[in-house]
């Protein structure tokens, strides 16, 4: 009986592990993808803002503060929320510089 | 498929757990001996005998040190007992066996009697003497000899050490005439009931106790005290080889025949240790004693104590299936794991060739425009190139197509701005890409 008991036990543990794994792994994977997407967007926005800043003749203090904030968030590497915040700051800075350039 | 495997595994687990409370009883088959019901008087153990009133008995015991009431059966070696008593005032009241509760109570109430014997049960005050060896039981139940019980009891009441006492039971060979009578009757109907014995034919339990060969029964009354007792067993075993032979002397049962060495003493010890006191107190018919003894033989036979082959057990599919259950369960788990792992494998990122061609087209446009671009159109162009680089990275690191498309859309908008600022409609991405593809 002891051998078959271990079969039941190990089998039960494996089933539980498979259940946990099959819900957890896709979820983790999706989270990773969401994070990478958010950072991709954020980095592209920061790059655009940097270009706009270089193209602008006048200094816009508000925009520079926003971009500095976005860059510091990006330097800290965070989750989806941090990336979204960085992207939002960079876009606003970008808009401010473009507006300043158009004059 | 995966879920059906999981379901099967769960069902197997439930079946296994349910079957865990099958039975706690462990037995080599069920012994078919009937349970012994014990209700006073039901087994014919009460006799016709009765006792006088307490006052009458007290008067009798005052007059004589030993009083034998009519019907009493206990005998003892007078010389040995007299020596044991010596000068002390020990008075013995002997009552017949098979008294009912009230009559036994009357006997107990005779306070002048130091020792009372009911049947062959010896008690003194709160003490009771019991035999614990086969020779003692044999003497007590075959001839009513209570010397071995009486002497220790007397010694105990005198607070003295008891000497070893031998039962005065002796065997003798049966005479040819005795043996012929018994043999003839056994040949005729399988049992011999002597004058005064209370056995009525072969007991019912005989077939279960001795299934291999028909047993022969000889019933003799209680043997007279002090005379050698004819030992029929071995002589009959020579005449009837391979037949179980049961000889009953009073309440004592002797067995000879096949397997005697294996179980006869064991069964006797079990039987008389358990029922000795009742057999001594009451007056059971021999048929009932024999039935109880045969049931005990059956119990021993079914207990599997002597390397007997097990009795036939019917085929039970559950018992055959149970050992396979864990492995079926393991197979289901393995299948479920394999299928789960396959479904978890990284889904191949759908490489959308449209994004590649769009990326290539927009990159070519950016390079072409960069030569013409001036101070006003440089920022959107640079931003567009940045977006294109981000889109390339996204494509290469396998990000979802939606993200690639968003970045490409952004790049396209920037390049559109560039073309607009340059005033070149043909460099607007929509027109440029159409022209290129066309």
């Amino acid at each position: 009986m002891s051998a078959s008991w271990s079969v039941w036990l190990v089998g039960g543990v494996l089933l539980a592990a498979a259940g946990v794994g099959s819900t957890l792994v896709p979820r983790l994977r999706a989270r990773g993808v969401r994070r990478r997407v958010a950072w991709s967007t954020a980095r592209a926005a920061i790059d655009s803002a940097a270009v706009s800043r270089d193209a602008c003749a006048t200094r816009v203090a508000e925009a520079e503060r926003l971009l500095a904030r976005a860059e510091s968030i990006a330097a800290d590497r965070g989750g989806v929320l941090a990336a979204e915040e960085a992207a939002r700051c960079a876009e606003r800075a970008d808009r401010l510089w473009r507006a300043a350039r158009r004059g | 498929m995966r879920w059906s495997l999981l379901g099967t595994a769960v069902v197997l687990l439930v079946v296994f757990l349910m079957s865990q409370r099958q039975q706690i009883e462990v037995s080599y088959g069920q012994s078919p001996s009937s349970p012994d019901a014990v209700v006073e008087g039901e087994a014919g153990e009460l006799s016709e005998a009765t006792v006088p009133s307490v006052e009458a008995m007290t008067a009798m015991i005052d007059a004589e040190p030993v009083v034998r009431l009519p019907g009493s059966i206990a005998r003892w070696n007078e010389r040995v007992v007299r020596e044991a008593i010596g000068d002390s005032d020990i008075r013995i009241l002997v009552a017949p066996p098979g008294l009912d509760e009230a009559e036994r109570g009357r006997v107990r109430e005779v306070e002048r009697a130091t020792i009372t014997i009911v049947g062959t049960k010896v008690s003194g005050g709160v003490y009771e003497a019991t035999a614990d060896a086969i020779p003692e039981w044999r003497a007590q139940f075959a001839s009513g000899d209570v010397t071995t019980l009486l002497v220790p009891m007397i010694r105990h009441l005198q607070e003295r050490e008891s000497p070893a006492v031998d039962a005065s039971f002796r065997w003798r060979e049966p005479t040819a005439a005795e043996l012929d009578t018994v043999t003839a009757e056994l040949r005729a109907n399988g049992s011999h009931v002597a004058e005064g014995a209370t056995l009525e034919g072969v007991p019912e339990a005989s077939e279960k106790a001795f299934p291999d060969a028909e047993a022969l029964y000889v019933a003799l009354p209680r043997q007279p005290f002090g005379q050698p007792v004819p030992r029929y067993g071995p002589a009959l075993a020579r005449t009837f080889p391979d037949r179980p032979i049961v000889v009953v002397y009073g309440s004592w049962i002797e067995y000879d025949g096949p397997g005697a060495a294996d179980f006869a003493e064991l069964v006797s010890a079990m039987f008389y240790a358990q029922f000795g006191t009742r057999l001594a107190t009451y007056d059971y018919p021999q048929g009932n004693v024999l039935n109880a003894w045969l049931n005990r033989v059956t119990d021993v036979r079914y207990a599997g104590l002597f390397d007997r082959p097990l009795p036939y057990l019917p085929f039970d599919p559950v018992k055959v299936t149970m050992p396979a259950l864990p492995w079926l369960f393991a197979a289901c788990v393995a299948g479920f794991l394999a299928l789960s792992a396959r479904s978890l494998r990284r889904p191949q990122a759908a490489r959308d060739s449209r994004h590649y061609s769009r990326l290539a087209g927009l990159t070519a446009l950016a390079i072409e425009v960069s030569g013409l671009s001036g101070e006003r159109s440089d920022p959107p162009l640079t931003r567009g190139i940045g977006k294109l680089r981000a889109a390339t990275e996204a494509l290469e690191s396998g990000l979802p197509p939606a993200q690639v498309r968003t970045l490409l859309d952004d790049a396209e908008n920037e390049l559109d701005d560039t073309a607009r600022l340059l005033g070149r409609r043909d460099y607007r991405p929509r027109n440029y890409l159409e022209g290129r593809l066309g």
Side-chain angles (χ1 to χ4, degrees):
Chain A
M1 214 55 192
S2 60
S4 69
W5 265 110
S6 59
V7 169
W8 292 111
L9 210 66
V10 171
V13 168
L14 282 181
L15 274 191
V20 170
S22 57
T23 52
L24 216 57
V25 168
R27 190 167 295 184
L28 284 177
R29 196 173 283 164
R31 238 179 77 184
V33 167
R34 268 210 314 280
R35 205 176 130 264
R36 275 161 54 216
V37 166
W39 276 115
S40 157
T41 311
R43 272 196 305 274
I46 289 173
D47 282 353
S48 294
V51 169
S52 302
R53 179 193 60 195
D54 294 345
C56 182
T58 55
R59 286 173 63 90
V60 184
E62 168 74 4
E64 271 173 18
R65 198 186 55 76
L66 282 170
L67 183 62
R69 179 169 151 70
E71 276 174 340
S72 77
I73 292 174
D76 285 343
R77 308 279 309 164
V80 176
L81 286 178
E84 280 171 356
E85 174 68 15
R88 219 168 16 249
C89 287
E91 274 161 19
R92 269 178 62 196
D94 192 21
R95 271 200 301 280
L96 285 173
W97 270 313
R98 286 194 209 193
R101 181 178 155 84
R102 247 177 263 131
Chain B
M1 177 66 183
R2 174 152 84 109
W3 301 116
S4 65
L5 275 178
L6 180 63
T8 316
V10 168
V11 167
L12 287 176
L13 184 62
V14 167
V15 167
F16 176 75
L17 289 178
M18 295 297 275
S19 70
Q20 287 315 297
R21 53 181 176 86
Q22 269 183 324
Q23 61 194 38
I24 313 143
E25 199 179 316
V26 175
S27 165
Y28 281 76
Q30 303 292 312
S31 167
S33 76
S34 55
D36 301 306
V38 184
V39 175
E40 182 161 76
E42 271 203 348
E45 70 267 41
L46 298 180
S47 62
E48 297 292 311
T50 182
V51 290
S53 67
V54 179
E55 293 75 23
M57 285 192 285
T58 308
M60 288 158 84
I61 202 100
D62 269 336
E64 276 183 87
V66 174
V67 173
R68 283 178 193 281
L69 296 173
S72 55
I73 57 162
R75 296 286 181 277
W76 56 85
N77 188 328
E78 300 281 350
R79 189 180 51 78
V80 174
V81 170
R82 212 167 26 244
E83 275 173 20
I85 293 177
D87 302 333
S88 47
D89 182 26
I90 286 187
R91 288 163 190 277
I92 304 172
L93 176 61
V94 190
L99 300 178
D100 64 22
E101 182 77 52
E103 291 165 333
R104 289 203 305 277
R106 290 220 294 278
V107 172
R108 266 199 306 277
E109 277 174 35
V110 181
E111 282 171 8
R112 283 286 286 135
T114 3
I115 295 176
T116 54
I117 303 176
V118 175
T120 56
K121 191 182 90 169
V122 178
S123 28
V126 295
Y127 298 104
E128 186 181 309
T130 9
D132 59 0
I134 286 192
E136 294 174 17
W137 279 316
R138 186 187 285 136
Q140 182 184 0
F141 292 113
S143 63
D145 179 6
V146 293
T147 316
T148 51
L149 304 176
L150 203 46
V151 172
M153 181 60 83
I154 292 166
R155 291 295 182 134
H156 182 80
L157 293 174
Q158 295 167 338
E159 297 174 354
R160 283 159 63 190
E161 283 289 303
S162 173
V165 187
D166 286 334
S168 53
F169 187 91
R170 289 194 314 281
W171 288 118
R172 69 170 168 82
E173 281 297 310
T175 62
E178 284 172 333
L179 208 52
D180 283 347
T181 323
V182 172
T183 312
E185 209 169 325
L186 285 185
R187 275 195 216 289
N189 50 19
S191 68
H192 165 80
V193 181
E195 181 77 32
T198 51
L199 184 66
E200 289 163 355
V202 175
E204 276 177 35
S206 173
E207 216 160 288
K208 279 185 275 179
F210 303 110
D212 303 327
E214 217 175 303
L216 300 170
Y217 292 90
V218 178
L220 305 169
R222 184 174 301 103
Q223 299 296 297
F225 172 75
Q227 289 172 22
V229 175
R231 191 176 192 185
Y232 287 103
L236 290 174
R238 280 193 295 276
T239 318
F240 302 97
D242 300 330
R243 297 283 293 270
I245 290 156
V246 180
V247 187
V248 189
Y249 302 92
S251 306
W252 175 255
I253 297 165
E254 284 277 332
Y255 174 81
D256 283 279
D262 282 340
F263 74 91
E265 282 203 350
L266 175 76
V267 170
S268 286
M270 281 162 68
F271 181 69
Y272 288 101
Q274 185 180 355
F275 296 118
T277 310
R278 289 192 74 79
L279 290 175
T281 316
Y282 292 107
D283 188 18
Y284 282 98
Q286 283 175 325
N288 293 359
V289 179
L290 201 50
N291 241 331
W293 182 84
L294 288 170
N295 280 338
R296 197 41 44 89
V297 173
T298 313
D299 287 343
V300 170
R301 181 174 291 281
Y302 273 82
L305 290 178
F306 305 113
D307 290 338
R308 269 172 9 85
L310 281 175
Y312 172 73
L313 288 175
F315 173 77
D316 184 355
V318 172
K319 285 214 173 70
V320 181
T321 320
M322 288 312 287
L325 275 191
W327 306 111
L328 290 177
F329 176 73
C332 287
V333 169
F336 178 75
L337 284 185
L339 292 176
S340 298
R342 208 177 61 183
S343 77
L344 275 188
R345 232 176 19 210
R346 192 172 291 274
Q348 205 64 35
R351 303 258 170 209
D352 205 334
S353 61
R354 276 190 311 128
H355 290 317
Y356 275 106
S357 56
R358 197 169 162 213
L359 177 65
L362 288 176
T363 309
L365 172 62
I367 291 168
E368 216 169 313
V369 168
S370 66
L372 306 172
S373 179
E375 192 264 337
R376 254 167 63 78
S377 61
D378 267 346
L381 178 60
T382 318
R383 280 198 296 266
I385 290 172
K387 295 282 183 191
L388 281 178
R389 203 173 52 238
T392 315
E393 271 173 23
L395 259 181
E396 276 170 359
S397 61
L399 286 184
Q403 172 70 4
V404 178
R405 197 171 59 238
T406 312
L407 291 170
L408 286 177
D409 286 348
D410 286 350
E412 196 175 316
N413 284 340
E414 299 288 359
L415 292 177
D416 197 45
D417 271 356
T418 314
R420 200 165 42 72
L421 288 171
L422 282 175
R424 295 283 298 266
R425 288 180 62 82
D426 53 334
Y427 280 138
R428 292 189 68 172
R430 183 182 298 273
N431 301 336
Y432 179 80
L433 288 182
E434 263 174 17
R436 238 174 85 88
L437 290 175

